[in-house]
């Protein structure tokens, strides 16, 4: 199987190109490779390649998916899904190309374009606490989206009434227009303007949806967020996006996760980081201290002689791994705090400690404590 080329490479544009630049590049290549004007034996294949690249890069949602996942992100889209937002009439206006032939090139026919189409995806932003990201979360969210009208069931007609065949297109949903161009006489097939490509006309529009066949509503949707998610994680809920045009299947709902900052912990992937303040007496003599974790505090032994800035590892006290079993670690960095005020007795004891240690004090108390602080910090 031939590996697909990068869409940006196919159109000859940069990843930062805007829609106008992408459309200009596509029109230029389409004029070169459209089968109606090209003698190249591979023209049809090249035209399909550049058209597919344009269809994806000109649509914000598809382009975002492609930029994140590459060609594998397009696997969930059919050919009809990929091309359903392209207005070929607008792109090739004045060129004399047969739009119906364009859809034949892709293999799904001109008339199918007005048939059922997949609905748009819906994106929902959600903030959660670090504790919820660690434990996982089940909750209900309120999502605004479109649904098939429950009164007319998407037919657009008031119950008890019906539709009639469009007189302008004879029920085909298409009209033909003949244009004289420098290439000769070209037949342009377009959606019927009278019935909007439907082939039939609603006699009495549904009052509930005003003849649209869809209604806007807010649905309560139950979601399950797995343990280990982090900011940028996406949760896909199939079929809860916008309903598709012409009774097409709905798109999907994507819940975009943001994990809020925590007052105690810093997070890097599955690992957590915490700073523990201790006195220089605890650092010198050692002590049993309490360390907070996401579940419950744990006891930890600070060994004697610990230096300020020393980092200890608490294995398995971090975040769950999202894609495999087990947890990350909690790293505790010790910060030795020097007291700002001492009473006379404390000063006397520290002076005695200095004498026993052989420390020569040549300045006032401030210099001495600076020296003690420096000794502990190195």
């Amino acid at each position: 199987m031939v590996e697909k080329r990068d869409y940006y490479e196919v159109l000859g544009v940069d990843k930062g190109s805007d829609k106008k630049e992408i459309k200009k590049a596509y029109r230029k290549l389409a004029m070169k490779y459209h089968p109606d004007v090209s003698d190249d034996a591979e023209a049809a294949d090249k035209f399909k390649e550049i058209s597919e690249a344009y269809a994806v890069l000109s649509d914000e949602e598809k382009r975002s998916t492609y930029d994140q996942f590459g060609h594998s992100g397009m696997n969930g889209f059919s050919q009809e899904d990929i091309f359903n937002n392209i207005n070929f009439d607008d792109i090739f206006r004045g060129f004399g190309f047969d739009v119906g032939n364009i859809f034949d090139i892709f293999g799904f026919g001109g008339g199918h374009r007005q048939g059922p189409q997949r609905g748009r995806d819906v994106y929902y932003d959600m903030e959660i606490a670090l504790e919820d990201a660690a434990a996982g979360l089940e909750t209900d969210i309120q999502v605004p989206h479109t649904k098939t009208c429950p009164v007319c069931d998407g037919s657009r007609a008031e119950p008890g009434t019906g539709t009639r065949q469009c007189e302008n297109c004879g029920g085909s949903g298409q009209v033909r227009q003949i244009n004289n161009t420098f290439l000769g006489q070209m037949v342009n097939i377009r959606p019927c303007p009278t019935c909007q490509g439907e082939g039939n006309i609603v006699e009495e529009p549904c009052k509930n949806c005003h003849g649209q066949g869809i209604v806007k509503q807010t649905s309560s949707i139950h979601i399950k967020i797995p343990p280990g998610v982090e900011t940028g994680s996406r949760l896909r809920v199939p079929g809860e996006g916008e309903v598709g045009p012409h009774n097409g299947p709905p798109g999907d709902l994507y819940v975009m996760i943001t994990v809020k900052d925590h007052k105690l912990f810093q997070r890097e992937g599955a690992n957590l980081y915490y700073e523990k303040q201790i006195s220089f007496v605890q650092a010198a003599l050692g002590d049993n201290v309490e360390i907070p974790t996401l579940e419950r505090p744990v006891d930890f032994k600070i060994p004697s002689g610990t230096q300020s800035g020393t980092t200890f590892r608490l294995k398995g006290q971090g975040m769950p791994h999202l894609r495999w079993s087990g947890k990350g670690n909690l790293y505790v960095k010790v910060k030795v705090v020097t007291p700002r005020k001492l009473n006379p007795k404390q000063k006397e004891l520290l002076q005695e400690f200095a004498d026993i240690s052989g420390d020569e004090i040549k300045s006032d108390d401030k210099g001495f404590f600076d020296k003690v602080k420096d000794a502990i910090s190195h």
Side-chain angles (χ1 to χ4, degrees), residues 7-8 11 17-20 22-23 51-68 74 77 80-87 91 117-123:
Y7 286 146
Y8 293 98
L11 294 181
S17 299
D18 57 27
K19 286 187 175 182
K20 186 176 180 180
I22 290 172
K23 183 177 181 179
S51 296
E52 181 177 318
Y54 173 72
V56 172
L57 299 185
S58 62
D59 183 283
E60 289 186 8
E61 293 179 11
K62 295 186 182 76
R63 183 176 181 178
S64 176
T65 300
Y66 176 74
D67 287 344
Q68 187 173 3
M74 298 294 103
F77 296 93
E80 292 92 331
D81 293 335
I82 289 178
F83 288 99
N84 66 2
N85 292 320
I86 294 187
N87 186 345
I91 294 172
Q117 300 170 25
R118 182 181 183 274
R120 287 182 174 273
D121 296 327
V122 171
Y123 295 84

Side-chain angles (χ1 to χ4, degrees), residues 83-91 93 97-103 109-115 117 166-177 187-201 246:
F83 288 99
N84 66 2
N85 292 320
I86 294 187
N87 186 345
F88 283 110
D89 292 333
D90 173 63
I91 294 172
R93 183 177 294 119
F97 293 153
D98 186 341
V99 176
N101 286 347
I102 291 175
F103 287 105
H112 190 83
R113 189 165 182 244
Q114 295 302 315
Q117 300 170 25
C166 177
E167 297 86 355
N168 188 48
C169 66
S172 68
Q174 300 174 337
V175 292
R176 292 172 176 265
Q177 181 179 356
V187 178
N188 192 8
I189 301 177
R190 301 187 179 201
C192 175
T194 303
C195 65
Q196 306 301 316
E198 295 285 344
N200 54 64
I201 297 175
H246 312 292

